């Protein structure tokens, strides 16, 4: 399996999950904004030109973070990362996954665009702040989103919440989230991921 990633991008979530699960994964670093990779282009592998992109050993290519994360969790069925088989727990996890993908991850969208006017960026930060209020209230003392069990949700939320540093949002306004980020960061697999991405 090969994971196309960019340092500190949302591809950090499957990168963390692969390491947490001890999966054998090869990394291909994509240069942004050129999207060049291994002498070619990310578009050669994924016409959407986005990371994460996961190339499976049989040549199939999977895209979309929320799907790649579920795929990896299914490969790690024997581990803490296993998805609940059925019942409300499964749908609760999917509900969170959708929230992280569509509200948190994509909530940052306008902040990445240099053409976004300053007032719109300010409104975006405010809207994100409301999502952070909600997330902080739900996590409480956690230690993780689902309580005791570290899951794909934490890998994804961790990657995305760290963008607050890039976009001038002071995470200290949410002490519960700041503490949560520290807990996730302390996990050996997360440290290994950050090292591999050249971030520490
Ligand atoms: N819908 C995709 C979006 C992934 C995404 O936003 N990736 C960003 C990095 S965090 C990216 O590659 N952006 C480059 C682009 O879309 O041009 C998913 O959920 O995986």
């Amino acid at each position: 399996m090969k994971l196309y990633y960019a340092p500190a991008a949302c591809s950090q979530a499957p990168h963390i999950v692969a390491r947490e699960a001890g999966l054998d994964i090869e990394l291909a670093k994509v240069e942004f904004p050129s999207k060049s990779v291994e002498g070619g282009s990310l578009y050669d592998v994924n016409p959407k030109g986005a990371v994460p992109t996961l190339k499976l050993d049989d040549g199939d290519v999977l895209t979309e973070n929320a799907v790649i994360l579920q795929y990896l969790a299914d490969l790690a069925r024997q581990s803490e990362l296993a998805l609940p088989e059925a019942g409300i727990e499964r749908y609760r996890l999917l509900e969170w996954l959708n929230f992280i993908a569509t509200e948190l991850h994509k909530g940052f969208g306008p902040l990445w665009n240099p053409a976004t006017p300053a007032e719109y960026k300010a409104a975006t930060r405010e809207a994100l702040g409301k999502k952070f209020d909600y997330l902080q209230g739900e996590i409480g003392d956690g230690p993780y989103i689902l309580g005791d069990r570290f899951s794909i949700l934490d890998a994804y939320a961790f990657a995305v919440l760290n963008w607050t540093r890039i976009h001038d949002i002071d995470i200290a306004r949410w002490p519960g989230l700041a503490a949560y980020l520290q807990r996730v960061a302390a996990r050996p697999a997360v440290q290994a991921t950050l090292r591999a991405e050249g971030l520490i």
Side-chain angles (χ1 to χ4, degrees):
M1 255 184 325
K2 189 188 283 189
L3 176 68
Y4 293 79
Y5 82 102
C10 53
S11 47
Q12 194 174 79
H15 188 177
I16 290 172
V17 167
R19 286 182 187 273
E20 286 279 353
L23 296 171
D24 193 12
I25 204 155
E26 193 186 330
L27 294 171
K29 183 177 171 186
V30 178
E31 301 296 336
F32 271 61
S34 68
K35 301 193 185 172
S36 58
V37 58
E38 296 175 339
S41 166
L42 177 61
Y43 286 99
D44 301 336
V45 191
N46 174 4
K48 289 186 269 191
V51 294
T53 296
L54 187 68
K55 189 165 190 186
L56 309 184
D57 292 341
D58 64 4
D60 262 338
V61 172
L62 269 184
T63 66
E64 301 301 319
N65 219 340
V67 173
I68 291 174
L69 289 171
Q70 290 181 69
Y71 178 81
L72 296 176
D74 279 341
L75 289 182
R77 230 174 263 122
Q78 307 309 323
S79 79
E80 181 188 28
L81 293 159
L83 300 178
E85 290 283 326
I88 192 66
E89 288 87 5
R90 182 176 184 87
Y91 299 103
R92 197 63 72 210
L93 183 141
L94 295 176
E95 181 184 37
W96 270 113
L97 196 54
N98 205 58
F99 175 80
I100 296 167
T102 63
E103 303 290 341
L104 296 183
H105 177 179
K106 286 298 155 182
F108 275 88
L111 299 180
W112 290 108
N113 186 347
T116 304
E119 314 84 72
Y120 194 64
K121 283 195 174 173
T124 299
R125 287 190 185 89
E126 198 170 320
L128 274 173
K130 294 204 172 83
K131 319 281 182 210
F132 294 172
D133 291 344
Y134 169 74
L135 182 63
Q136 175 173 257
E138 290 296 309
I139 293 177
D141 292 330
Y144 301 115
I145 292 178
L146 296 180
D148 285 339
R149 197 166 65 92
F150 179 86
S151 71
I152 58 175
L153 304 173
D154 302 298
Y156 199 177
F158 176 80
V160 168
L161 286 172
N162 275 319
W163 295 343
T164 50
R165 300 176 197 207
I166 302 170
H167 294 298
D168 206 18
I169 299 172
D170 185 6
I171 199 69
R173 280 174 54 203
W174 296 271
L177 291 186
Y180 166 72
L181 287 180
Q182 278 180 7
R183 283 196 293 278
V184 177
R187 295 178 68 87
V190 176
Q191 286 291 304
T193 302
L194 297 176
R195 256 195 308 278
E197 295 198 357
L199 299 171
I200 55 172

